[in-house]
Amino acid sequence: EAGVVQSPRYKIIEKKQPVAFWCNPISGHNTLYWYLQNLGQGPELLIRYENEEAVDDSQLPKDRFSAERLKGVDSTLKIQPAELGDSAVYLCASSHVTGAWQPQHFGDGTRLSIL
Amino acid sequence: AQSVTQLGSHVSVSEGALVLLRCNYSSSVPPYLFWYVQYPNQGLQLLLKYTTGATLVKGINGFEAEFKKSETSFHLTKPSAHMSDAAEYVCAVSYFGNEKLTFGTGTRLTIIP
């Protein structure tokens, strides 16, 4: 089966500019996650979707970050405006259904660099 | 709060030697435990998982891990290291009713020829 697809792989922008990331989960996976991974750290959850509903966005900085998952398939994560501290890798993951025992399958991530 | 500790941010072993990567978790309830491998510029790939049942879990690429409740540990091992095993290894934990996956900070494995 095809894995989780993310684009772009790399993005370089100047601070205060907007940026968007796209994620296509594994076909049939209802649950989608966005993570932030700083250098030398494990991923940290930003938002979790069950189908098209955001069920956990408690760690999403809503003043500048937004996300959507229209039709419960693809998802986009947006930052506006970007700040220097947003430089990181943004990972998308999906799982078949929601459940703590369900393994999450990750995309290759988008590496964001803010100048 | 759930947490994961990975002892040793960097581990080096000789090719053919035993690989042992340590992971300890904090919990008062039964955990679900995962090991992921991350190659440079790639996402995390699931190596193995423990949910219920047999405490010795076998994964891909010859890796295995043993859940030891008394030690709150889930160490990852491989009998004989191969050059292709060089990567970042990340341990993660979750619990029934809490879908949040908490990750350790990772261990970078280097294989010495």
Side-chain angles (χ1 to χ4, degrees):
Chain A
E1 63 180 3
V4 176
V5 179
Q6 291 187 246
S7 69
R9 290 295 316 278
Y10 305 92
K11 189 72 176 179
I12 302 173
I13 62 171
E14 294 185 343
K15 62 180 180 181
K16 301 185 180 180
Q17 294 300 305
V19 64
F21 315 125
W22 175 81
C23 173
N24 180 240
I26 292 173
S27 178
H29 280 198
N30 296 327
T31 308
L32 184 146
Y33 311 78
W34 282 103
Y35 288 90
L36 171 100
Q37 185 175 24
N38 287 305
L39 187 65
Q41 301 293 318
E44 299 175 7
L45 181 68
L46 289 172
I47 189 168
R48 173 169 63 93
Y49 282 93
E50 290 181 17
N51 297 304
E52 63 272 11
E53 181 182 0
V55 296
D56 184 358
D57 63 356
S58 57
Q59 300 304 308
L60 188 72
K62 299 180 183 65
D63 57 335
R64 297 184 301 106
F65 286 66
S66 64
E68 62 182 9
R69 192 185 183 197
L70 301 177
K71 301 181 180 179
V73 182
D74 295 2
S75 177
T76 57
L77 177 69
K78 299 178 182 178
I79 309 175
Q80 182 172 10
E83 297 179 352
L84 290 175
D86 297 331
S87 294
V89 176
Y90 292 82
L91 293 168
C92 179
S94 69
S95 62
H96 183 57
V97 292
T98 293
W101 62 94
Q102 289 284 338
Q104 296 178 25
H105 302 267
F106 287 79
D108 287 338
T110 296
R111 183 176 298 276
L112 176 64
S113 297
I114 310 295
L115 303 178
Chain B
Q2 60 198 49
S3 66
V4 176
T5 302
Q6 292 186 239
L7 285 178
S9 58
H10 293 85
V11 171
S12 297
V13 301
S14 298
E15 189 175 15
L18 171 71
V19 175
L20 170 60
L21 304 180
R22 301 179 186 275
C23 173
N24 289 86
Y25 65 92
S26 65
S27 167
S28 58
V29 298
Y32 302 122
L33 294 155
F34 306 84
W35 273 102
Y36 286 87
V37 59
Q38 188 171 27
Y39 297 100
N41 298 317
Q42 294 186 23
L44 288 85
Q45 178 183 1
L46 182 68
L47 268 179
L48 47 81
K49 64 176 180 177
Y50 168 79
T51 53
T52 59
T55 57
L56 181 61
V57 180
K58 295 185 184 299
I60 62 172
N61 301 339
F63 284 92
E64 63 182 34
E66 185 171 11
F67 169 59
K68 293 186 176 180
K69 182 179 178 180
S70 61
E71 299 177 6
T72 61
S73 69
F74 191 57
H75 301 333
L76 182 71
T77 60
K78 182 174 181 178
S80 177
H82 190 272
M83 295 300 295
S84 61
D85 294 328
E88 185 91 5
Y89 291 81
V90 185
C91 183
V93 64
S94 63
Y95 305 92
F96 181 78
N98 182 355
E99 283 71 29
K100 179 180 178 182
L101 195 57
T102 299
F103 292 88
T105 53
T107 297
R108 182 169 300 277
L109 177 65
T110 300
I111 310 299
I112 303 168

